[in-house]
Amino acid sequence: MQLVQMYHHFSQVLLQRKEADGILLDCTKVSGRIPHDVIVDSHSKHGVTGRLLALFSDYLRGRSQRVMVDGYFSDDQPVKSGVPQGSVLGPTFFTVAVNSLSTCVKSTVLQYADDDVLHRTVSSKDDCRAPQEDLDNLAVWCRNSGLDISSRKSQHLRISNKKKKTEIPGGSYKFASDPIPAENEGECLGVTYSSRLDWTPRSIRQLENIQKKFLRSIRLSKMETTDSHDTDFIQYRQHLAEVQWLPL
């Protein structure tokens, strides 16, 4: 749903011959750095109290970890942050902990797991000041929450078809005084977006790789009547004829 909403907004911007700034924040390591106190406090603010809150608190606290090298174990070290990886409750705890992120910014925020995107339509320098104010507020929120977002690994994507683009005061957006690099392509949830929403060479290569894997899986599939592989796509064509499939 996040991808659909973001693509719809960006496409509408281009159809209206406007511009939009999308800031793709790098939160890949945030889930392992959220202090347990912040997670428990966020649940309390969302109405979780009493024994259930105590159960969640006990679930997180009292954990430790160690490493083994050449058969020797290190001393146990307490784990005071992060959600248990691979657990059922882990993603839910993380979502609740970062849910208040959207309350500190005025731009539209799209959140899914550790992918966060701020986007806003811009047509003047004053419009570009608003996302920067949001980033400043977000930096304060991160400090208070014990979170860390990498500005160098984040991306600024200007959605525009214009030759003369709206200038950003200071030349670039900044997070915690560090500039966020401007890119012609940005990736969110494994999907690559270009500044013009066109089929970039990278996107074409991705489609070609998918096509190769698909055709390879067909060639290696067993024929229903014989034990040989469907190298000539005979069985595949028969299936297409049975469902009366017609290419666009």
Side-chain angles (χ1 to χ4, degrees):
M1 182 59 70
Q2 180 187 15
L3 293 175
V4 174
Q5 291 178 348
M6 187 165 64
Y7 187 86
H8 175 72
H9 173 77
F10 289 160
S11 62
Q12 291 300 309
V13 168
L14 294 183
L15 289 174
Q16 297 170 8
R17 297 183 180 180
K18 296 180 180 180
E19 296 178 290
D21 278 332
I23 302 174
L24 289 70
L25 301 173
D26 180 74
C27 306
T28 53
K29 295 184 179 180
V30 169
S31 61
R33 297 179 179 178
I34 305 178
H36 291 164
D37 292 339
V38 173
I39 298 176
V40 175
D41 184 60
S42 63
H43 280 76
S44 177
K45 292 179 179 178
H46 281 77
V48 180
T49 58
R51 294 183 177 180
L52 183 58
L53 183 63
L55 176 63
F56 288 163
S57 178
D58 290 341
Y59 175 75
L60 291 171
R61 292 169 178 165
R63 294 179 177 270
S64 62
Q65 62 183 9
R66 61 179 180 175
V67 297
M68 183 183 69
V69 179
D70 294 334
Y72 294 92
F73 287 98
S74 67
D75 295 333
D76 290 347
Q77 297 294 325
V79 178
K80 299 180 180 180
S81 63
V83 296
Q85 301 297 313
S87 63
V88 176
L89 291 177
T92 303
F93 283 178
F94 175 78
T95 301
V96 173
V98 301
N99 189 48
S100 60
L101 181 150
S102 59
T103 61
C104 68
V105 299
K106 296 180 180 179
S107 300
T108 303
V109 183
L110 297 176
Q111 294 178 263
Y112 184 83
D114 55 2
D115 284 286
D116 294 326
V117 181
L118 304 180
H119 66 83
R120 188 184 186 95
T121 303
V122 296
S123 57
S124 64
K125 288 186 177 181
D126 290 336
D127 292 335
C128 295
R129 290 189 178 94
Q132 183 57 60
E133 292 177 359
D134 289 338
L135 290 171
D136 294 338
N137 294 333
L138 181 58
V140 175
W141 181 88
C142 286
R143 286 197 299 269
N144 295 335
S145 303
L147 305 184
D148 184 24
I149 294 178
S150 174
S151 58
R152 295 182 180 180
K153 295 182 179 180
S154 298
Q155 298 173 309
H156 165 225
L157 186 65
R158 170 62 63 84
I159 303 298
S160 176
N161 280 328
K162 296 182 179 181
K163 293 182 179 180
K164 187 177 181 180
K165 298 179 174 57
T166 303
E167 296 182 3
I168 303 173
S172 65
Y173 290 116
K174 297 178 177 61
F175 183 83
S177 301
D178 294 328
I180 297 176
E183 306 288 352
N184 292 324
E185 294 180 354
E187 185 173 330
C188 179
L189 294 175
V191 177
T192 302
Y193 287 86
S194 71
S195 59
R196 296 176 178 268
L197 297 186
D198 55 4
W199 294 105
T200 62
R202 181 177 178 180
S203 300
I204 293 176
R205 288 197 300 270
Q206 289 177 339
L207 291 176
E208 289 176 346
N209 290 334
I210 293 174
Q211 184 184 37
K212 289 179 181 178
K213 292 180 181 179
F214 175 66
L215 294 178
R216 183 173 180 271
S217 66
I218 295 176
R219 288 194 182 98
L220 295 180
S221 62
K222 296 283 187 172
M223 298 282 287
E224 294 178 355
T225 56
T226 65
D227 196 35
S228 60
H229 296 298
D230 189 14
T231 56
D232 296 325
F233 305 105
I234 298 175
Q235 182 173 270
Y236 179 62
R237 293 193 181 94
Q238 290 177 349
H239 290 329
L240 293 181
E242 290 174 0
V243 298
Q244 298 180 349
W245 180 84
L246 295 175
L248 297 176

